[in-house]
Amino acid sequence: MQMEELAKRVRSADPAMGLRAVGALHRLAEQVEALSVARARDQGWTWEQIGDALGMSRQSVHAKYGK
């Protein structure tokens, strides 16, 4: 989804459009988080450092992204 389309949906008075926009934002945030965690690990960050940056426990971050 293009950013312009997403912005249009967020501003819409139609709840269905707004909720679809929320779903798209959640998916985008998950993608950015996964990419950022991978980069942090590549740069030697510990699970604790990543968890602190995300406001999560190291165990939660490791369970979600550890392989």
Side-chain angles (χ1 to χ4, degrees):
M1 179 181 309
Q2 297 284 335
M3 291 304 293
E4 297 83 21
E5 179 64 22
L6 182 58
K8 179 181 172 184
R9 288 183 180 189
V10 167
R11 290 189 303 269
S12 174
D14 179 357
M17 289 191 75
L19 291 169
R20 284 193 293 272
V22 168
L25 287 168
H26 278 289
R27 289 186 295 277
L28 178 59
E30 287 290 326
Q31 292 171 359
V32 171
E33 182 179 283
L35 178 61
S36 298
V37 169
R39 285 184 177 158
R41 290 296 294 162
D42 287 346
Q43 293 180 21
W45 283 41
T46 65
W47 291 114
E48 185 171 7
Q49 288 172 306
I50 295 167
D52 286 346
L54 291 173
M56 300 170 64
S57 70
R58 65 178 172 82
Q59 295 91 342
S60 294
V61 175
H62 184 265
K64 187 172 182 178
Y65 295 106
K67 294 180 182 168

